[in-house]
Amino acid sequence: MALTNKLKYFPTTFAWGVATAAYQIEGAATIDGRGSSIWDEFSHTPGKVLSGDTGDIACDHYHRYPEDIALMNHIGVTHYRFSVSWPRILPDGDSHHINAKGLAFYDRLVDTLLDNQIIPAITLYHWDLPSELQIQGGWLNSRTSDVFAEYAQIMVAVLGDRVKQWITHNEPWCTAVLGHLTGEHAPGVTSKDAALTAAHHVLLSHGKAMMAMRSTRNDLQIGITLNLSQVYPDQPSVESIRAASLQDVFNNRWYLDPLFVGHYPEELIDIFGKQPQFLSHDMDLIKQPLDFLGVNYYSAQVVAPSGDNESPWPVRHVTPKDRITAMGWPVIPKGLTDLLMRLQRDYGPIPLFITENGAAYPDEIVDGRIHDVDRIEYLSDHIEAIADALAHGIDVRGYFLWSLLDNFEWAFGYSKRFGIVYVDYTTLERTLKDSALWYGRLIHDALSLPLNPV
Ligand code: FCB
């Protein structure tokens, strides 16, 4: 059934948003007292980011935010998820030194969004740790979790009167694995022990931040965003099912279980050779009730046993690659429906937001237009997958498309375009892609259906 026939499943209160992150779009890296972050250092280290790209200028959103908000308004989005640059607020990672100019930027941003009837949702940590905190051990030092809670409290004290939806962390898996195990992301550490410890301190910081934010205001919706991926066995054999279960522990349960059940999965020992070490009280902090769970979904995985005793990882990916994005990620919309149903079954009931979903494709401007049909198809199929989950009674409250703008795609620099708005990195000119026009029409249609279920 086409998506248009399923729009009736989206309640009129559904959040139709777009998402971005500070380091990927803001630029203005040394302006108005901003301190350095681990991503400034990493991107300036030769060989870490494709073509030596950095976020120094990015989309210059710091200066062009009125134009970007006007674009969102033109498209017709109802919500906007953005992240706060921690080093803009605490330039030297010390909560006794608050940068007023940094706070003022987010104050202006929020007010301009509200003037445009766009509801803001804030992510506190989208990977740009202040460099000074990294010098003190970063996520390997439990003290970072205390500073994070202080920073969260500062932000809520300033913006909590106008911003009600807060996300503590974006994708702790990436902080732990890409940042501390494979080293593809800042700070570029490569150690199993470090990944386990970083993951724990990130979760701990989430718990401490929730407490600090709740003690400041009691009218906030606070959650965390995980990058989750449905894992399927390639066949119903015991070995394949075991492989899928281990991959699921690594990608999903490592975070879901402590947050919702209050302990780490036992199988972490099979992956890391040991269990995380922590104080018994930590789990009480981590397991506090969430107001919602943010889900970032891009793809699913099909796995088989590696069958190779020499291999350090007993799981082999056999995901079909007949339909892939420019990242090489397989397009599997059904995985999103299955994932949402699984979350409600295993961890629910919990309000869910899709806090990221989208795709990179090699866009080209032709006569001032970008005919990004592949992206429209990707988005349409995934929004339809959400409709299917809603039809099954799953409590999905919103969708934040990744991303508003083409931007700095981490280790891939500017080579991957995820935006529904094209950015010319020489002139910084913005052009709506066909997908932006399509998304605007979809939102309009979804909101104008007269008989939406409440
Ligand atoms: C997610 C990140 C986001 C962006 C997308 C493509 O993992 O949260 O910043 O890079 O992937």
Side-chain angles (χ1 to χ4, degrees):
M1 211 197 288
L3 174 58
T4 31
N5 295 327
K6 295 186 182 175
L7 285 184
K8 60 174 185 264
Y9 294 116
F10 292 91
T12 42
T13 51
F14 195 80
W16 292 101
V18 284
T20 63
Y23 190 72
Q24 296 181 273
I25 63 165
E26 283 182 2
T30 54
I31 306 275
D32 288 346
R34 177 186 180 278
S36 166
S37 80
I38 54 173
W39 266 97
D40 295 286
E41 310 231 348
F42 195 73
S43 65
H44 280 270
T45 308
K48 298 296 186 192
V49 174
L50 202 68
S51 313
D53 290 345
T54 73
D56 288 1
I57 298 172
C59 308
D60 195 29
H61 172 77
Y62 187 78
H63 296 113
R64 291 165 198 253
Y65 73 91
E67 183 189 348
D68 293 335
I69 293 174
L71 284 170
M72 282 187 246
N73 191 350
H74 180 78
I75 295 168
V77 303
T78 61
H79 288 62
Y80 175 48
R81 171 186 177 228
F82 62 93
S83 82
V84 172
S85 158
W86 188 353
R88 241 185 238 297
I89 308 300
L90 305 182
D92 33 48
D94 179 346
S95 49
H96 296 103
H97 172 202
I98 300 173
N99 178 29
K101 286 188 175 164
L103 280 179
F105 167 67
Y106 295 105
D107 209 54
R108 292 196 296 278
L109 182 67
V110 164
D111 282 345
T112 313
L113 286 165
L114 294 174
D115 287 346
N116 284 271
Q117 285 82 49
I118 298 169
I119 298 173
I122 289 185
T123 309
L124 286 165
Y125 188 71
H126 204 124
W127 308 348
D128 42 0
L129 185 76
S131 298
E132 276 305 320
L133 289 175
Q134 184 60 37
I135 291 168
Q136 295 163 37
W139 290 113
L140 302 182
N141 181 348
S142 70
R143 208 187 77 84
T144 299
S145 64
D146 298 312
V147 186
F148 181 70
E150 289 160 12
Y151 153 63
Q153 193 162 26
I154 292 165
M155 293 315 301
V156 160
V158 177
L159 299 178
D161 57 336
R162 286 154 290 159
V163 181
K164 300 302 171 192
Q165 186 172 19
W166 293 79
I167 294 162
T168 54
H169 277 270
N170 179 69
E171 304 189 346
W173 183 93
C174 290
T175 303
V177 173
L178 304 181
H180 295 82
L181 181 66
T182 67
E184 294 156 78
H185 279 188
V189 176
T190 51
S191 142
K192 280 188 174 184
D193 279 8
L196 265 191
T197 306
H200 183 71
H201 288 153
V202 165
L203 287 170
L204 184 61
S205 76
H206 154 80
K208 288 181 178 174
M210 280 196 89
M211 290 207 37
M213 293 159 89
R214 289 209 160 116
S215 73
T216 310
R217 295 191 71 95
N218 60 10
D219 60 348
L220 306 177
Q221 296 291 306
I222 312 176
I224 186 169
T225 279
L226 304 178
N227 51 313
L228 300 172
S229 162
Q230 188 71 4
V231 185
Y232 301 99
D234 68 329
Q235 48 171 302
S237 67
V238 174
E239 294 76 15
S240 287
I241 292 171
R242 192 182 302 132
S245 153
L246 197 61
Q247 189 70 34
D248 180 51
V249 166
F250 181 59
N251 282 115
N252 305 317
R253 287 183 47 210
W254 182 5
Y255 299 91
L256 287 166
D257 284 12
L259 286 164
F260 287 98
V261 194
H263 57 74
Y264 285 108
E266 277 173 21
E267 297 90 330
L268 280 186
I269 203 160
D270 302 330
I271 300 171
F272 292 98
K274 64 176 188 189
Q275 283 283 351
Q277 309 294 308
F278 54 88
L279 304 172
S280 55
H281 170 64
D282 289 0
M283 262 314 156
D284 298 336
L285 288 167
I286 293 171
K287 200 200 144 204
Q288 289 167 71
L290 294 164
D291 295 316
F292 65 91
L293 175 68
V295 176
N296 289 358
Y297 178 86
Y298 288 93
S299 189
Q301 308 173 49
V302 183
V303 300
S306 73
D308 170 4
N309 290 338
E310 299 301 302
S311 164
W313 185 241
V315 179
R316 190 164 50 94
H317 281 85
V318 292
T319 317
K321 291 226 167 186
D322 46 319
R323 196 179 161 198
I324 54 167
T325 69
M327 297 296 283
W329 297 345
V331 181
I332 309 180
K334 179 185 176 296
L336 178 54
T337 314
D338 291 345
L339 172 69
L340 294 170
M341 310 237 326
R342 179 266 173 111
L343 288 172
Q344 181 134 323
R345 188 185 64 230
D346 293 352
Y347 302 100
I350 170 96
L352 300 166
F353 283 83
I354 310 304
T355 40
E356 283 181 29
N357 172 249
Y361 288 104
D363 302 311
E364 271 179 43
I365 296 209
V366 180
D367 298 332
R369 294 284 300 271
I370 300 103
H371 299 299
D372 54 342
V373 281
D374 289 338
R375 181 174 293 104
I376 293 175
E377 215 178 310
Y378 178 101
L379 297 171
S380 174
D381 289 352
H382 284 81
I383 294 172
E384 191 176 340
I386 298 167
D388 291 340
L390 285 166
H392 280 94
I394 310 297
D395 187 6
V396 190
R397 307 249 173 125
Y399 176 80
F400 292 86
L401 193 164
W402 184 272
S403 180
L404 173 68
L405 302 168
D406 290 337
N407 60 49
F408 176 83
E409 179 46 37
W410 309 113
F412 295 91
Y414 296 100
S415 68
K416 305 292 180 200
R417 294 181 175 273
F418 273 90
I420 53 172
V421 175
Y422 185 92
V423 177
D424 177 327
Y425 293 114
T426 316
T427 61
L428 294 174
E429 195 187 334
R430 279 89 158 124
T431 308
L432 295 177
K433 301 181 191 177
D434 284 359
S435 55
L437 306 173
W438 172 85
Y439 191 44
R441 277 194 303 274
L442 180 85
I443 297 170
H444 176 268
D445 290 351
L447 294 179
S448 24
L449 279 178
L451 290 175
N452 277 359
V454 181

Short mmCIF file of all heavy atoms in Angstrom, two decimals, residues 66-67 166 313 358 405:
data_model
loop_
_atom_site.label_atom_id
_atom_site.label_comp_id
_atom_site.label_asym_id
_atom_site.label_seq_id
_atom_site.Cartn_x
_atom_site.Cartn_y
_atom_site.Cartn_z
N PRO A 66 19.30 32.16 10.87
CA PRO A 66 17.97 32.69 10.49
C PRO A 66 17.53 32.16 9.12
O PRO A 66 16.35 31.81 8.93
CB PRO A 66 18.17 34.21 10.45
CG PRO A 66 19.36 34.45 11.34
CD PRO A 66 20.25 33.27 11.12
N GLU A 67 18.49 32.07 8.20
CA GLU A 67 18.16 31.54 6.88
C GLU A 67 17.75 30.07 6.98
O GLU A 67 16.80 29.61 6.32
CB GLU A 67 19.40 31.68 5.97
CG GLU A 67 19.17 31.23 4.55
CD GLU A 67 20.46 31.18 3.71
OE1 GLU A 67 21.51 31.72 4.16
OE2 GLU A 67 20.41 30.58 2.63
N TRP A 166 14.45 16.99 25.73
CA TRP A 166 15.90 16.95 25.89
C TRP A 166 16.42 15.53 25.68
O TRP A 166 15.85 14.57 26.23
CB TRP A 166 16.29 17.43 27.29
CG TRP A 166 15.98 18.89 27.49
CD1 TRP A 166 14.75 19.44 27.75
CD2 TRP A 166 16.91 19.97 27.41
NE1 TRP A 166 14.87 20.82 27.85
CE2 TRP A 166 16.18 21.17 27.65
CE3 TRP A 166 18.29 20.06 27.17
CZ2 TRP A 166 16.78 22.44 27.66
CZ3 TRP A 166 18.89 21.32 27.18
CH2 TRP A 166 18.14 22.49 27.41
N TRP A 313 36.08 -12.24 15.63
CA TRP A 313 34.64 -11.97 15.80
C TRP A 313 33.87 -13.10 15.12
O TRP A 313 34.00 -13.30 13.92
CB TRP A 313 34.33 -10.61 15.17
CG TRP A 313 32.91 -10.14 15.36
CD1 TRP A 313 32.01 -9.87 14.37
CD2 TRP A 313 32.23 -9.86 16.58
NE1 TRP A 313 30.82 -9.46 14.91
CE2 TRP A 313 30.92 -9.44 16.27
CE3 TRP A 313 32.60 -9.95 17.94
CZ2 TRP A 313 29.98 -9.10 17.24
CZ3 TRP A 313 31.66 -9.61 18.90
CH2 TRP A 313 30.37 -9.19 18.55
N GLY A 358 17.65 8.73 7.43
CA GLY A 358 17.89 9.45 6.18
C GLY A 358 18.97 8.74 5.39
O GLY A 358 19.43 7.67 5.79
N LEU A 405 20.45 19.82 6.43
CA LEU A 405 21.47 20.33 5.50
C LEU A 405 22.50 19.26 5.17
O LEU A 405 22.82 18.43 6.02
CB LEU A 405 22.25 21.49 6.16
CG LEU A 405 21.47 22.69 6.64
CD1 LEU A 405 22.36 23.58 7.51
CD2 LEU A 405 20.94 23.49 5.46
#
